[in-house]
Amino acid sequence: MKEDSLPASRFQRNKRCIIWSTVISLCALALILGLAIGLTRKSQSSPSENDALQNFPEQFILSGNNFTITSQPTTRYYEFNITQRNGSPDGFERTMLVVNNQFPGPLIECNIGDRIVVKVNNQLPDGQGTSIHWHGMFQTNTTWMDGTVGVTQCPIPPGESFTYNYTITEQRGTYWWHSHAKGQYTDGIVGPLIVHDPNEGFMNDYDEDIVVMISDWYHELSPISLAQYANADNTEGAEPVPENGLINGLNLFDCNGSTNSSIPCTGGTQANFTFVPGKRYRIRLINTGAFAEFDFSIDGHKLTVVEADGVAMKPVAIDRVPIQVAQRYSLIVEANQTVGNYWMRAIINQNCLAYTNDALNPVVLAAVHYEGANGTIPNSPDPGYSDPVDCVDLDPSDLKPVDGMDAPPYDVSYYIEASFQAIREDRIRYGYMNTTSWSPLQNTSTLQQANAGVTTFDTNTQFVLTPPDNATVVQLIIQNFDDGSHPFHLHGHTFWLLGTGAGYYASNTNLNTTNPVRRDTGTVPAFGYAIIRFIPHPGMWLFHCHLVWHHLMGLAMQIQYQPSVIRSFDVPQDWKNLCPS
Ligand code: C2O
């Protein structure tokens, strides 16, 4: 610069000297602080193998830690350290993959309009790339932040980091986050994501707000379970059956039922909740499991459904809520019973399992303790529930969105067949959407390709549906040729569920277009059909069965909307760098 070439006066030299020494001392200070922070981080994030896995029940009580519900947006920063370690959520020790040594993983609690920044540090062993998907987030104009390996990104390699950064607009309610690399979430990379909105509409209908995550639980790592499933000898396609179920990451396990006595087994503990008599609780129920459908109830209490998958519903009081993998419900429960202790029951519907696992006790319990009651162990009588015959959603006619919207007519409709077939040389049964069985692209993603101008994809593994640019409403008719039901999830959208049923969809099939339920995960019944409509927005969106074993065997396809807009997306360089090619 010209200024630098001028002879400096002594004052200027002195000034430079002062500036330089200030810069140097600031740098030194920053270095020391950095080291100190780094060391504390390190001591928090890499405990010795013997440190117990953390379960923080406090984090499931929302609006704690002075959290303020407001329409004033802010930016919230998180750091996720993903490691492989041993853990025993139900007292049975196994290898797990976890975030920040916590299971379930850390709560993300925010307000509508907030920007969420999450630095993910992959500290997994070699060969285990990872990603985090924000289930149900629209990712408007940030499709590359959707966190889906092979679709919207390449995996974050071990030893490396990636920072997700997106803004939550136009949505509120109950969501979750999970790894979207292989079957990793089944091994522990899951947590709740709650979006508050002062204008949600029913904030005055409850006093306390709590998260209840329920999930099935396997005693083997997911690649081992998958190997049993993806096997030519498994001609019936029997999915792995879990050993247990968990409520907020806890349950008992009968160690006598364990087949390997050399594995440490202490039997675990049950989750428990405290009710203050007369108070009303909003329970945010999330099925974060791999395969099992649950029926949820609290002895002696009515559950009033007010939200499904982030959409506010007209209140309906029921005794028992069936919940499929990846779905969410908000249930308002009033502590209006005799002061006492009651069981919360999450019962695995065994009619949806391929076989009975002797180790599995399908009745997963947690204690609800009324303040002032004697003791803490419930003695409420068993209501004697039996498993529903069908593995389907809570009756959609019970779910009427408060913000009523009729399903608009579609501009384009696609007919899609979902099936499992053993037609390859290896005789393994793969999942197909029409004639394509999905598996993630290696070293690239469909979004990376689309952003670079690629218009055709490898149809052996990628079924990418591209509606016309001017189609504002898209309809999908999914016909299921499988004897199992499939909770299908569409990334980045909520859809209208116009109808589901047994048998074949036909042109005279009755569709409900009058304010039908809107959600992001809906079940296509066994040998049945479902019809959905949605308003697409630009991006690459996975549409898949959320049952982990089905998804991993290929029951997935993609919706690409407005490729020219995708090409024009100014994607961040660090995102591009995740893909080596
Ligand atoms: Cu919960 Cu493909 O997502």
Side-chain angles (χ1 to χ4, degrees), residues 95 150 172 188 206 221 387 405 408 523:
T95 308
R172 66 215 33 87
Y206 57 93
L221 268 168
D387 288 340
M405 262 193 251
T523 298

Side-chain angles (χ1 to χ4, degrees), residues 21-22 24 37 77 143 170 256 300 305 329 352 355 371 383 503 533:
S21 52
T22 316
I24 288 166
I37 291 169
Y77 297 91
T143 182
E170 290 173 55
N256 298 324
V305 183
Y329 290 106
C352 315
Y355 54 94
E371 231 174 60
R533 279 183 206 167

Side-chain angles (χ1 to χ4, degrees), residues 347-379:
I347 304 179
I348 291 179
N349 184 345
Q350 295 210 91
N351 290 330
C352 315
L353 304 181
Y355 54 94
T356 37
N357 181 338
D358 290 338
L360 173 67
N361 176 355
V363 182
V364 184
L365 300 172
V368 175
H369 166 71
Y370 273 53
E371 231 174 60
N374 290 329
T376 52
I377 312 223
N379 53 3

Side-chain angles (χ1 to χ4, degrees), residues 133 135-136 148 176 178 180 185 326 489 491 542 544 546 551:
H133 168 60
H135 184 114
T148 312
W176 59 303
H178 60 83
H180 216 300
Y185 92 72
H489 169 47
H491 285 212
L542 195 65
H544 66 104
H546 214 293
H551 168 54

Side-chain angles (χ1 to χ4, degrees), residues 182-183 223 225-232 234 237-240 419-422 424 426-433 436-440 460-461 486 544-545 547-556:
K182 303 207 169 128
S225 304
L226 180 65
Q228 293 164 8
Y229 178 49
N231 190 308
N234 184 8
E239 296 87 356
S419 66
F420 276 87
Q421 299 176 56
R424 295 191 198 170
D426 62 13
R427 308 310 301 163
I428 292 172
R429 284 164 55 96
Y430 290 92
Y432 287 84
M433 299 296 275
T436 303
S437 180
W438 179 78
S439 65
N460 283 318
T461 58
H486 302 301
H544 66 104
C545 172
L547 303 180
V548 165
W549 316 121
H550 294 174
H551 168 54
L552 292 176
M553 293 313 286
L555 208 57

